[in-house]
Amino acid sequence: MNASPVKYKFYPTLLNTYDSFEKGYVTETELIDRINRLPSVQTEAQAKGTSFEDAAIKGINEEMFDAGILARVRALLPRPMVKTQAYCEYQINDVLLYGYVDVIGKIMAVDIKTTGKYEAGNYAKSHQNFYLPALRSKGIRKLRYVITDFNEVYSEEYDQTFDFSHQLSQINAFCQFVEDNRGKITDYKIFGGEK
């Protein structure tokens, strides 16, 4: 943990949206709307992903999904599950990263993902990888993404030796973007709650 005062508070999904913005998949307006936490309509794919996570972890509405896929996903979850939706935070210089990981066990954290199309190594540049240093003090050594396209189950695993250089570069660029667009930002939580 860092002793610097917190100037920015970011969560991984927001940083991943910035990554999509850099790649041209998200407009500046859409990114500003996400920063400001403007309500958006949940897509069918997002709703299905949330339902699948509830089915895999909590057994809610399991009948909506293929039993074999659920079994394969559950086989990749830590046993015992110490906590679900575990809050974590990690400070880098003046940036506080915070979020919730789906499941933590004794030495492994797991985040469940659903997708329409999976490519190997898809999560290597995800900002959710910051859950690794955030959970180090809880004994977490590995972060596993368990991914399904509802036909197959895949996994990616990262450990405490992970190289964050790409993510750190994006965080610095995002800080600059936030400063350049300060006048358009109405949710001051991103600035540590200050104007």
Side-chain angles (χ1 to χ4, degrees):
M1 215 36 131
N2 201 316
S4 300
V6 172
K7 189 173 177 184
Y8 305 100
K9 289 183 178 179
F10 302 151
Y11 52 95
T13 307
L14 180 59
L15 290 165
N16 289 337
T17 302
Y18 179 72
D19 178 65
S20 294
F21 167 75
E22 281 191 333
K23 292 174 179 168
Y25 302 137
V26 170
T27 67
E28 183 173 310
T29 300
E30 290 170 323
L31 179 57
I32 298 285
D33 287 352
R34 177 65 66 93
I35 291 168
N36 288 328
R37 297 177 185 257
L38 295 182
S40 61
V41 178
Q42 187 179 47
T43 67
E44 189 177 318
Q46 290 169 327
K48 187 175 181 180
T50 301
S51 294
F52 182 81
E53 185 181 308
D54 284 344
I57 295 172
K58 302 173 187 170
I60 298 171
N61 297 322
E62 295 171 295
E63 67 282 354
M64 293 174 51
F65 302 99
D66 180 271
I69 295 292
L70 279 172
R72 289 173 61 196
V73 166
R74 288 175 176 152
L76 293 169
L77 298 178
R79 295 286 180 225
M81 284 194 273
V82 174
K83 188 170 186 174
T84 60
Q85 290 303 305
Y87 177 80
C88 52
E89 60 183 41
Y90 184 68
Q91 188 173 340
I92 300 167
N93 300 320
D94 58 359
V95 176
L96 181 71
L97 301 167
Y98 67 95
Y100 292 86
V101 66
D102 291 335
V103 179
I104 58 172
K106 291 186 176 181
I107 62 166
M108 179 173 52
V110 171
D111 212 64
I112 297 172
K113 301 290 185 188
T114 57
T115 185
K117 182 183 176 203
Y118 173 71
E119 292 179 26
N122 230 23
Y123 297 94
K125 294 185 177 178
S126 173
H127 288 274
Q128 286 179 295
N129 290 328
F130 279 110
Y131 294 151
L132 278 164
L135 293 167
R136 183 182 294 131
S137 66
K138 295 189 183 307
I140 300 300
R141 296 184 196 138
K142 295 186 282 187
L143 172 62
R144 176 183 290 161
Y145 293 94
V146 178
I147 310 120
T148 186
D149 57 10
F150 301 103
N151 295 309
E152 286 295 329
V153 175
Y154 312 91
S155 70
E156 292 181 25
E157 205 164 278
Y158 301 97
D159 64 21
Q160 293 290 354
T161 64
F162 186 80
D163 176 8
F164 286 99
S165 54
H166 173 78
Q167 286 89 342
L168 291 171
S169 174
Q170 276 196 325
I171 286 171
N172 291 332
F174 187 56
C175 288
Q176 188 60 54
F177 176 88
V178 165
E179 287 300 331
D180 292 346
N181 291 279
R182 189 179 269 266
K184 299 175 187 173
I185 296 173
T186 57
D187 185 341
Y188 300 119
K189 185 173 184 177
I190 201 166
F191 298 111
E194 299 175 19
K195 287 188 179 185

Short mmCIF file of all heavy atoms in Angstrom, two decimals, residues 53-117:
data_model
loop_
_atom_site.label_atom_id
_atom_site.label_comp_id
_atom_site.label_asym_id
_atom_site.label_seq_id
_atom_site.Cartn_x
_atom_site.Cartn_y
_atom_site.Cartn_z
N GLU A 53 -23.51 -16.29 -13.55
CA GLU A 53 -22.66 -16.20 -12.35
C GLU A 53 -23.45 -16.63 -11.11
O GLU A 53 -22.95 -17.41 -10.28
CB GLU A 53 -22.16 -14.77 -12.20
CG GLU A 53 -21.17 -14.57 -11.08
CD GLU A 53 -20.74 -13.12 -10.99
OE1 GLU A 53 -20.32 -12.55 -12.02
OE2 GLU A 53 -20.83 -12.57 -9.88
N ASP A 54 -24.70 -16.15 -10.98
CA ASP A 54 -25.54 -16.54 -9.84
C ASP A 54 -25.82 -18.04 -9.85
O ASP A 54 -25.83 -18.68 -8.80
CB ASP A 54 -26.87 -15.78 -9.87
CG ASP A 54 -26.73 -14.34 -9.41
OD1 ASP A 54 -25.71 -13.99 -8.78
OD2 ASP A 54 -27.66 -13.54 -9.69
N ALA A 55 -26.03 -18.60 -11.04
CA ALA A 55 -26.29 -20.04 -11.15
C ALA A 55 -25.04 -20.83 -10.75
O ALA A 55 -25.14 -21.80 -10.00
CB ALA A 55 -26.71 -20.40 -12.57
N ALA A 56 -23.87 -20.41 -11.22
CA ALA A 56 -22.64 -21.15 -10.95
C ALA A 56 -22.22 -21.08 -9.48
O ALA A 56 -21.80 -22.08 -8.90
CB ALA A 56 -21.51 -20.62 -11.84
N ILE A 57 -22.35 -19.90 -8.88
CA ILE A 57 -21.87 -19.71 -7.51
C ILE A 57 -22.95 -20.03 -6.46
O ILE A 57 -22.69 -20.69 -5.47
CB ILE A 57 -21.35 -18.27 -7.31
CG1 ILE A 57 -20.12 -18.02 -8.19
CG2 ILE A 57 -20.99 -18.02 -5.85
CD1 ILE A 57 -19.65 -16.58 -8.21
N LYS A 58 -24.17 -19.55 -6.71
CA LYS A 58 -25.22 -19.66 -5.69
C LYS A 58 -26.28 -20.70 -5.98
O LYS A 58 -27.15 -20.95 -5.15
CB LYS A 58 -25.91 -18.29 -5.54
CG LYS A 58 -24.96 -17.16 -5.16
CD LYS A 58 -25.69 -15.83 -5.22
CE LYS A 58 -24.72 -14.67 -5.02
NZ LYS A 58 -25.35 -13.39 -5.30
N GLY A 59 -26.24 -21.28 -7.20
CA GLY A 59 -27.24 -22.28 -7.55
C GLY A 59 -28.60 -21.69 -7.90
O GLY A 59 -29.61 -22.40 -7.93
N ILE A 60 -28.66 -20.39 -8.18
CA ILE A 60 -29.92 -19.71 -8.50
C ILE A 60 -30.24 -19.90 -9.99
O ILE A 60 -29.41 -19.60 -10.84
CB ILE A 60 -29.84 -18.21 -8.15
CG1 ILE A 60 -29.59 -18.04 -6.64
CG2 ILE A 60 -31.10 -17.48 -8.59
CD1 ILE A 60 -29.27 -16.62 -6.22
N ASN A 61 -31.45 -20.38 -10.28
CA ASN A 61 -31.92 -20.58 -11.66
C ASN A 61 -30.96 -21.41 -12.52
O ASN A 61 -30.75 -21.12 -13.69
CB ASN A 61 -32.19 -19.22 -12.34
CG ASN A 61 -33.31 -18.46 -11.66
OD1 ASN A 61 -34.30 -19.04 -11.23
ND2 ASN A 61 -33.14 -17.16 -11.54
N GLU A 62 -30.43 -22.47 -11.92
CA GLU A 62 -29.50 -23.34 -12.64
C GLU A 62 -30.12 -23.94 -13.90
O GLU A 62 -29.41 -24.19 -14.88
CB GLU A 62 -29.07 -24.51 -11.75
CG GLU A 62 -28.29 -24.11 -10.55
CD GLU A 62 -28.09 -25.28 -9.61
OE1 GLU A 62 -29.09 -25.77 -9.05
OE2 GLU A 62 -26.94 -25.70 -9.46
N GLU A 63 -31.43 -24.14 -13.87
CA GLU A 63 -32.11 -24.79 -15.00
C GLU A 63 -32.03 -23.97 -16.29
O GLU A 63 -32.28 -24.49 -17.37
CB GLU A 63 -33.57 -25.09 -14.64
CG GLU A 63 -34.45 -23.87 -14.45
CD GLU A 63 -34.29 -23.15 -13.10
OE1 GLU A 63 -33.56 -23.64 -12.21
OE2 GLU A 63 -34.91 -22.09 -12.94
N MET A 64 -31.64 -22.71 -16.19
CA MET A 64 -31.53 -21.86 -17.38
C MET A 64 -30.27 -22.17 -18.21
O MET A 64 -30.15 -21.70 -19.33
CB MET A 64 -31.49 -20.38 -16.96
CG MET A 64 -32.78 -19.87 -16.36
SD MET A 64 -32.64 -18.17 -15.72
CE MET A 64 -31.94 -17.28 -17.09
N PHE A 65 -29.36 -22.95 -17.62
CA PHE A 65 -28.06 -23.17 -18.27
C PHE A 65 -27.74 -24.65 -18.39
O PHE A 65 -28.26 -25.47 -17.65
CB PHE A 65 -26.96 -22.44 -17.48
CG PHE A 65 -27.22 -20.97 -17.38
CD1 PHE A 65 -27.78 -20.42 -16.23
CD2 PHE A 65 -26.93 -20.12 -18.44
CE1 PHE A 65 -28.04 -19.06 -16.15
CE2 PHE A 65 -27.18 -18.76 -18.36
CZ PHE A 65 -27.74 -18.23 -17.21
N ASP A 66 -26.85 -24.96 -19.30
CA ASP A 66 -26.41 -26.33 -19.52
C ASP A 66 -25.72 -26.87 -18.26
O ASP A 66 -24.76 -26.26 -17.77
CB ASP A 66 -25.45 -26.35 -20.72
CG ASP A 66 -24.94 -27.73 -21.02
OD1 ASP A 66 -23.90 -28.11 -20.43
OD2 ASP A 66 -25.57 -28.44 -21.83
N ALA A 67 -26.20 -27.99 -17.77
CA ALA A 67 -25.67 -28.57 -16.53
C ALA A 67 -24.19 -28.94 -16.67
O ALA A 67 -23.42 -28.79 -15.71
CB ALA A 67 -26.48 -29.80 -16.13
N GLY A 68 -23.78 -29.41 -17.84
CA GLY A 68 -22.38 -29.77 -18.06
C GLY A 68 -21.46 -28.56 -18.00
O GLY A 68 -20.37 -28.62 -17.41
N ILE A 69 -21.90 -27.45 -18.57
CA ILE A 69 -21.10 -26.20 -18.54
C ILE A 69 -21.00 -25.71 -17.10
O ILE A 69 -19.92 -25.35 -16.62
CB ILE A 69 -21.72 -25.12 -19.45
CG1 ILE A 69 -21.66 -25.55 -20.92
CG2 ILE A 69 -21.04 -23.77 -19.25
CD1 ILE A 69 -20.29 -25.63 -21.54
N LEU A 70 -22.13 -25.72 -16.37
CA LEU A 70 -22.10 -25.30 -14.96
C LEU A 70 -21.14 -26.17 -14.15
O LEU A 70 -20.36 -25.66 -13.34
CB LEU A 70 -23.50 -25.37 -14.35
CG LEU A 70 -24.44 -24.21 -14.63
CD1 LEU A 70 -25.85 -24.52 -14.13
CD2 LEU A 70 -23.92 -22.92 -14.01
N ALA A 71 -21.18 -27.47 -14.38
CA ALA A 71 -20.30 -28.39 -13.64
C ALA A 71 -18.83 -28.10 -13.93
O ALA A 71 -17.99 -28.10 -13.02
CB ALA A 71 -20.64 -29.84 -13.99
N ARG A 72 -18.52 -27.82 -15.19
CA ARG A 72 -17.13 -27.54 -15.57
C ARG A 72 -16.64 -26.21 -14.97
O ARG A 72 -15.50 -26.09 -14.55
CB ARG A 72 -16.98 -27.55 -17.08
CG ARG A 72 -17.11 -28.97 -17.64
CD ARG A 72 -17.15 -29.01 -19.15
NE ARG A 72 -15.94 -28.46 -19.74
CZ ARG A 72 -15.85 -28.10 -21.01
NH1 ARG A 72 -16.88 -28.23 -21.82
NH2 ARG A 72 -14.72 -27.60 -21.48
N VAL A 73 -17.53 -25.22 -14.93
CA VAL A 73 -17.18 -23.93 -14.32
C VAL A 73 -16.96 -24.12 -12.83
O VAL A 73 -15.96 -23.66 -12.26
CB VAL A 73 -18.26 -22.86 -14.61
CG1 VAL A 73 -18.09 -21.64 -13.71
CG2 VAL A 73 -18.23 -22.45 -16.08
N ARG A 74 -17.87 -24.83 -12.17
CA ARG A 74 -17.76 -25.05 -10.72
C ARG A 74 -16.49 -25.81 -10.37
O ARG A 74 -15.90 -25.59 -9.30
CB ARG A 74 -18.99 -25.78 -10.21
CG ARG A 74 -20.21 -24.90 -10.19
CD ARG A 74 -21.44 -25.68 -9.79
NE ARG A 74 -22.60 -24.80 -9.69
CZ ARG A 74 -23.82 -25.20 -9.90
NH1 ARG A 74 -24.11 -26.46 -10.20
NH2 ARG A 74 -24.82 -24.34 -9.79
N ALA A 75 -16.05 -26.72 -11.25
CA ALA A 75 -14.84 -27.49 -10.99
C ALA A 75 -13.60 -26.59 -10.96
O ALA A 75 -12.58 -26.96 -10.38
CB ALA A 75 -14.68 -28.58 -12.05
N LEU A 76 -13.70 -25.39 -11.55
CA LEU A 76 -12.56 -24.47 -11.59
C LEU A 76 -12.61 -23.42 -10.48
O LEU A 76 -11.72 -22.58 -10.38
CB LEU A 76 -12.50 -23.78 -12.96
CG LEU A 76 -12.17 -24.71 -14.13
CD1 LEU A 76 -12.40 -24.01 -15.46
CD2 LEU A 76 -10.73 -25.20 -14.03
N LEU A 77 -13.64 -23.46 -9.65
CA LEU A 77 -13.75 -22.52 -8.53
C LEU A 77 -12.93 -23.04 -7.35
O LEU A 77 -12.75 -24.25 -7.19
CB LEU A 77 -15.21 -22.35 -8.12
CG LEU A 77 -16.15 -21.77 -9.17
CD1 LEU A 77 -17.58 -21.71 -8.64
CD2 LEU A 77 -15.68 -20.40 -9.62
N PRO A 78 -12.44 -22.14 -6.50
CA PRO A 78 -11.66 -22.60 -5.34
C PRO A 78 -12.54 -23.33 -4.33
O PRO A 78 -13.71 -23.01 -4.17
CB PRO A 78 -11.10 -21.31 -4.74
CG PRO A 78 -12.02 -20.24 -5.21
CD PRO A 78 -12.57 -20.69 -6.53
N ARG A 79 -11.97 -24.33 -3.71
CA ARG A 79 -12.64 -25.05 -2.64
C ARG A 79 -11.73 -25.06 -1.43
O ARG A 79 -10.58 -25.44 -1.56
CB ARG A 79 -12.98 -26.49 -3.05
CG ARG A 79 -13.99 -26.56 -4.17
CD ARG A 79 -15.38 -26.22 -3.68
NE ARG A 79 -16.34 -26.31 -4.78
CZ ARG A 79 -17.27 -25.40 -4.99
NH1 ARG A 79 -17.38 -24.36 -4.21
NH2 ARG A 79 -18.11 -25.54 -6.00
N PRO A 80 -12.17 -24.62 -0.29
CA PRO A 80 -13.48 -24.02 -0.06
C PRO A 80 -13.53 -22.59 -0.61
O PRO A 80 -12.50 -21.94 -0.76
CB PRO A 80 -13.61 -24.00 1.46
CG PRO A 80 -12.20 -23.84 1.94
CD PRO A 80 -11.36 -24.62 0.95
N MET A 81 -14.75 -22.13 -0.90
CA MET A 81 -14.95 -20.73 -1.25
C MET A 81 -14.99 -19.96 0.07
O MET A 81 -15.87 -20.19 0.89
CB MET A 81 -16.26 -20.52 -2.02
CG MET A 81 -16.19 -20.97 -3.46
SD MET A 81 -17.58 -20.38 -4.44
CE MET A 81 -18.76 -21.67 -4.16
N VAL A 82 -14.02 -19.09 0.27
CA VAL A 82 -13.95 -18.33 1.51
C VAL A 82 -14.94 -17.17 1.50
O VAL A 82 -15.60 -16.90 2.50
CB VAL A 82 -12.50 -17.80 1.73
CG1 VAL A 82 -12.42 -16.88 2.93
CG2 VAL A 82 -11.54 -18.97 1.90
N LYS A 83 -15.07 -16.53 0.34
CA LYS A 83 -15.98 -15.39 0.24
C LYS A 83 -16.36 -15.16 -1.21
O LYS A 83 -15.57 -15.41 -2.12
CB LYS A 83 -15.30 -14.13 0.80
CG LYS A 83 -16.21 -12.95 0.92
CD LYS A 83 -15.57 -11.82 1.71
CE LYS A 83 -16.62 -10.73 1.90
NZ LYS A 83 -16.19 -9.67 2.74
N THR A 84 -17.59 -14.69 -1.44
CA THR A 84 -18.02 -14.29 -2.77
C THR A 84 -18.18 -12.77 -2.77
O THR A 84 -18.42 -12.16 -1.72
CB THR A 84 -19.34 -14.96 -3.18
OG1 THR A 84 -20.36 -14.60 -2.27
CG2 THR A 84 -19.18 -16.48 -3.23
N GLN A 85 -18.03 -12.18 -3.94
CA GLN A 85 -18.08 -10.73 -4.09
C GLN A 85 -17.20 -10.05 -3.03
O GLN A 85 -17.67 -9.23 -2.23
CB GLN A 85 -19.52 -10.22 -4.03
CG GLN A 85 -20.34 -10.60 -5.26
CD GLN A 85 -19.70 -10.11 -6.56
OE1 GLN A 85 -19.43 -8.93 -6.71
NE2 GLN A 85 -19.44 -11.02 -7.48
N ALA A 86 -15.93 -10.40 -3.05
CA ALA A 86 -14.97 -9.88 -2.08
C ALA A 86 -14.43 -8.53 -2.53
O ALA A 86 -13.90 -8.39 -3.63
CB ALA A 86 -13.81 -10.87 -1.90
N TYR A 87 -14.61 -7.52 -1.67
CA TYR A 87 -14.11 -6.18 -1.96
C TYR A 87 -12.60 -6.16 -1.79
O TYR A 87 -12.04 -6.77 -0.87
CB TYR A 87 -14.74 -5.15 -1.01
CG TYR A 87 -14.19 -3.76 -1.21
CD1 TYR A 87 -14.65 -2.97 -2.25
CD2 TYR A 87 -13.21 -3.26 -0.37
CE1 TYR A 87 -14.14 -1.69 -2.46
CE2 TYR A 87 -12.70 -1.97 -0.56
CZ TYR A 87 -13.16 -1.20 -1.61
OH TYR A 87 -12.65 0.06 -1.81
N CYS A 88 -11.93 -5.45 -2.69
CA CYS A 88 -10.49 -5.27 -2.55
C CYS A 88 -10.08 -3.92 -3.12
O CYS A 88 -10.78 -3.35 -3.96
CB CYS A 88 -9.72 -6.41 -3.19
SG CYS A 88 -10.15 -6.79 -4.87
N GLU A 89 -8.96 -3.42 -2.63
CA GLU A 89 -8.43 -2.17 -3.14
C GLU A 89 -6.92 -2.20 -3.12
O GLU A 89 -6.32 -2.93 -2.33
CB GLU A 89 -8.97 -0.96 -2.36
CG GLU A 89 -8.65 -0.97 -0.90
CD GLU A 89 -9.27 0.23 -0.16
OE1 GLU A 89 -10.42 0.60 -0.43
OE2 GLU A 89 -8.58 0.78 0.71
N TYR A 90 -6.35 -1.40 -4.00
CA TYR A 90 -4.89 -1.35 -4.13
C TYR A 90 -4.51 0.05 -4.60
O TYR A 90 -5.10 0.58 -5.54
CB TYR A 90 -4.43 -2.40 -5.15
CG TYR A 90 -2.95 -2.50 -5.30
CD1 TYR A 90 -2.15 -2.98 -4.27
CD2 TYR A 90 -2.32 -2.11 -6.48
CE1 TYR A 90 -0.78 -3.08 -4.41
CE2 TYR A 90 -0.94 -2.21 -6.62
CZ TYR A 90 -0.18 -2.69 -5.58
OH TYR A 90 1.18 -2.77 -5.73
N GLN A 91 -3.52 0.64 -3.93
CA GLN A 91 -3.11 1.99 -4.30
C GLN A 91 -1.78 1.98 -5.04
O GLN A 91 -0.83 1.32 -4.63
CB GLN A 91 -3.00 2.88 -3.05
CG GLN A 91 -2.76 4.33 -3.40
CD GLN A 91 -2.81 5.25 -2.20
OE1 GLN A 91 -3.36 4.90 -1.16
NE2 GLN A 91 -2.22 6.43 -2.34
N ILE A 92 -1.76 2.71 -6.16
CA ILE A 92 -0.54 2.92 -6.93
C ILE A 92 -0.34 4.42 -7.02
O ILE A 92 -1.17 5.12 -7.62
CB ILE A 92 -0.67 2.33 -8.35
CG1 ILE A 92 -0.94 0.84 -8.28
CG2 ILE A 92 0.58 2.62 -9.17
CD1 ILE A 92 -1.37 0.25 -9.60
N ASN A 93 0.71 4.91 -6.39
CA ASN A 93 0.97 6.35 -6.32
C ASN A 93 -0.28 7.05 -5.78
O ASN A 93 -0.69 6.75 -4.67
CB ASN A 93 1.43 6.89 -7.68
CG ASN A 93 2.70 6.20 -8.13
OD1 ASN A 93 3.60 5.95 -7.33
ND2 ASN A 93 2.79 5.88 -9.40
N ASP A 94 -0.92 7.94 -6.57
CA ASP A 94 -2.09 8.66 -6.07
C ASP A 94 -3.40 8.10 -6.60
O ASP A 94 -4.44 8.75 -6.54
CB ASP A 94 -1.97 10.16 -6.38
CG ASP A 94 -1.82 10.45 -7.86
OD1 ASP A 94 -1.78 9.50 -8.67
OD2 ASP A 94 -1.72 11.64 -8.22
N VAL A 95 -3.37 6.87 -7.14
CA VAL A 95 -4.55 6.22 -7.69
C VAL A 95 -4.96 5.05 -6.81
O VAL A 95 -4.15 4.16 -6.52
CB VAL A 95 -4.30 5.72 -9.13
CG1 VAL A 95 -5.52 4.96 -9.65
CG2 VAL A 95 -3.94 6.87 -10.06
N LEU A 96 -6.22 5.06 -6.37
CA LEU A 96 -6.77 3.93 -5.62
C LEU A 96 -7.63 3.11 -6.57
O LEU A 96 -8.58 3.62 -7.16
CB LEU A 96 -7.63 4.41 -4.44
CG LEU A 96 -8.22 3.28 -3.59
CD1 LEU A 96 -7.12 2.59 -2.78
CD2 LEU A 96 -9.31 3.80 -2.67
N LEU A 97 -7.26 1.86 -6.76
CA LEU A 97 -8.03 0.92 -7.57
C LEU A 97 -8.89 0.10 -6.62
O LEU A 97 -8.38 -0.39 -5.61
CB LEU A 97 -7.10 0.01 -8.35
CG LEU A 97 -6.13 0.73 -9.28
CD1 LEU A 97 -5.05 -0.22 -9.75
CD2 LEU A 97 -6.86 1.33 -10.45
N TYR A 98 -10.17 -0.04 -6.94
CA TYR A 98 -11.05 -0.80 -6.05
C TYR A 98 -12.05 -1.59 -6.86
O TYR A 98 -12.36 -1.24 -8.01
CB TYR A 98 -11.78 0.15 -5.08
CG TYR A 98 -12.77 1.06 -5.77
CD1 TYR A 98 -14.12 0.73 -5.83
CD2 TYR A 98 -12.36 2.25 -6.37
CE1 TYR A 98 -15.03 1.55 -6.47
CE2 TYR A 98 -13.28 3.08 -7.01
CZ TYR A 98 -14.60 2.72 -7.06
OH TYR A 98 -15.51 3.53 -7.70
N GLY A 99 -12.53 -2.67 -6.28
CA GLY A 99 -13.53 -3.46 -6.97
C GLY A 99 -13.88 -4.72 -6.20
O GLY A 99 -13.44 -4.91 -5.06
N TYR A 100 -14.65 -5.57 -6.85
CA TYR A 100 -15.11 -6.81 -6.26
C TYR A 100 -14.72 -7.97 -7.16
O TYR A 100 -14.99 -7.95 -8.35
CB TYR A 100 -16.64 -6.81 -6.09
CG TYR A 100 -17.12 -5.81 -5.08
CD1 TYR A 100 -17.35 -4.49 -5.43
CD2 TYR A 100 -17.32 -6.19 -3.76
CE1 TYR A 100 -17.79 -3.56 -4.50
CE2 TYR A 100 -17.76 -5.27 -2.82
CZ TYR A 100 -17.99 -3.96 -3.19
OH TYR A 100 -18.42 -3.05 -2.26
N VAL A 101 -14.10 -8.98 -6.55
CA VAL A 101 -13.79 -10.20 -7.29
C VAL A 101 -14.87 -11.22 -6.93
O VAL A 101 -15.37 -11.23 -5.80
CB VAL A 101 -12.36 -10.69 -6.97
CG1 VAL A 101 -12.22 -11.14 -5.52
CG2 VAL A 101 -11.91 -11.77 -7.93
N ASP A 102 -15.24 -12.06 -7.89
CA ASP A 102 -16.38 -12.96 -7.71
C ASP A 102 -16.21 -13.93 -6.55
O ASP A 102 -17.11 -14.09 -5.73
CB ASP A 102 -16.66 -13.75 -8.99
CG ASP A 102 -17.18 -12.85 -10.10
OD1 ASP A 102 -17.76 -11.78 -9.80
OD2 ASP A 102 -17.02 -13.21 -11.28
N VAL A 103 -15.05 -14.60 -6.46
CA VAL A 103 -14.84 -15.63 -5.44
C VAL A 103 -13.39 -15.60 -4.97
O VAL A 103 -12.48 -15.45 -5.79
CB VAL A 103 -15.12 -17.05 -6.02
CG1 VAL A 103 -14.88 -18.12 -4.96
CG2 VAL A 103 -16.51 -17.16 -6.58
N ILE A 104 -13.19 -15.74 -3.67
CA ILE A 104 -11.83 -16.00 -3.18
C ILE A 104 -11.83 -17.29 -2.38
O ILE A 104 -12.78 -17.59 -1.66
CB ILE A 104 -11.22 -14.84 -2.36
CG1 ILE A 104 -12.06 -14.48 -1.13
CG2 ILE A 104 -10.99 -13.62 -3.22
CD1 ILE A 104 -11.37 -13.48 -0.21
N GLY A 105 -10.75 -18.02 -2.56
CA GLY A 105 -10.50 -19.21 -1.78
C GLY A 105 -9.36 -18.91 -0.82
O GLY A 105 -9.12 -17.75 -0.49
N LYS A 106 -8.63 -19.94 -0.43
CA LYS A 106 -7.51 -19.72 0.49
C LYS A 106 -6.29 -19.13 -0.22
O LYS A 106 -5.59 -18.29 0.35
CB LYS A 106 -7.16 -21.02 1.20
CG LYS A 106 -8.23 -21.44 2.17
CD LYS A 106 -7.83 -22.64 2.97
CE LYS A 106 -8.92 -22.94 3.99
NZ LYS A 106 -8.59 -24.08 4.84
N ILE A 107 -6.02 -19.57 -1.46
CA ILE A 107 -4.85 -19.05 -2.18
C ILE A 107 -5.18 -18.57 -3.59
O ILE A 107 -4.29 -18.10 -4.31
CB ILE A 107 -3.71 -20.08 -2.25
CG1 ILE A 107 -4.15 -21.32 -3.03
CG2 ILE A 107 -3.19 -20.43 -0.87
CD1 ILE A 107 -2.99 -22.23 -3.42
N MET A 108 -6.45 -18.67 -3.99
CA MET A 108 -6.82 -18.29 -5.35
C MET A 108 -8.10 -17.47 -5.38
O MET A 108 -9.03 -17.74 -4.62
CB MET A 108 -7.01 -19.55 -6.21
CG MET A 108 -7.41 -19.24 -7.64
SD MET A 108 -7.46 -20.69 -8.72
CE MET A 108 -8.48 -21.82 -7.81
N ALA A 109 -8.11 -16.46 -6.26
CA ALA A 109 -9.32 -15.69 -6.53
C ALA A 109 -9.80 -16.08 -7.93
O ALA A 109 -9.00 -16.44 -8.79
CB ALA A 109 -9.02 -14.20 -6.48
N VAL A 110 -11.12 -16.02 -8.13
CA VAL A 110 -11.69 -16.37 -9.43
C VAL A 110 -12.69 -15.30 -9.85
O VAL A 110 -13.49 -14.84 -9.05
CB VAL A 110 -12.40 -17.75 -9.38
CG1 VAL A 110 -13.19 -18.00 -10.66
CG2 VAL A 110 -11.40 -18.86 -9.15
N ASP A 111 -12.61 -14.94 -11.12
CA ASP A 111 -13.60 -14.05 -11.71
C ASP A 111 -14.24 -14.80 -12.87
O ASP A 111 -13.53 -15.32 -13.74
CB ASP A 111 -12.97 -12.74 -12.17
CG ASP A 111 -13.93 -11.58 -12.06
OD1 ASP A 111 -14.32 -11.26 -10.92
OD2 ASP A 111 -14.31 -11.01 -13.09
N ILE A 112 -15.56 -14.89 -12.86
CA ILE A 112 -16.29 -15.62 -13.90
C ILE A 112 -16.66 -14.65 -15.02
O ILE A 112 -17.16 -13.56 -14.76
CB ILE A 112 -17.56 -16.28 -13.31
CG1 ILE A 112 -17.17 -17.31 -12.26
CG2 ILE A 112 -18.40 -16.90 -14.41
CD1 ILE A 112 -18.34 -17.88 -11.48
N LYS A 113 -16.42 -15.07 -16.24
CA LYS A 113 -16.71 -14.24 -17.41
C LYS A 113 -17.55 -15.03 -18.40
O LYS A 113 -17.36 -16.23 -18.57
CB LYS A 113 -15.41 -13.83 -18.12
CG LYS A 113 -14.45 -13.05 -17.26
CD LYS A 113 -14.99 -11.69 -16.97
CE LYS A 113 -13.99 -10.83 -16.20
NZ LYS A 113 -14.60 -9.59 -15.76
N THR A 114 -18.49 -14.32 -19.05
CA THR A 114 -19.23 -14.92 -20.15
C THR A 114 -18.95 -14.07 -21.38
O THR A 114 -18.73 -12.86 -21.28
CB THR A 114 -20.74 -14.95 -19.86
OG1 THR A 114 -21.21 -13.63 -19.59
CG2 THR A 114 -21.05 -15.87 -18.68
N THR A 115 -18.93 -14.71 -22.52
CA THR A 115 -18.58 -14.01 -23.76
C THR A 115 -19.26 -14.65 -24.95
O THR A 115 -19.63 -15.83 -24.90
CB THR A 115 -17.04 -14.01 -23.95
OG1 THR A 115 -16.71 -13.22 -25.09
CG2 THR A 115 -16.48 -15.41 -24.11
N GLY A 116 -19.39 -13.89 -26.00
CA GLY A 116 -19.91 -14.44 -27.25
C GLY A 116 -18.83 -15.14 -28.03
O GLY A 116 -19.08 -16.09 -28.77
N LYS A 117 -17.59 -14.67 -27.85
CA LYS A 117 -16.45 -15.26 -28.56
C LYS A 117 -15.22 -15.12 -27.69
O LYS A 117 -14.89 -14.04 -27.22
CB LYS A 117 -16.24 -14.52 -29.89
CG LYS A 117 -15.12 -15.10 -30.72
CD LYS A 117 -14.91 -14.30 -31.98
CE LYS A 117 -13.71 -14.88 -32.72
NZ LYS A 117 -13.10 -13.91 -33.61
#
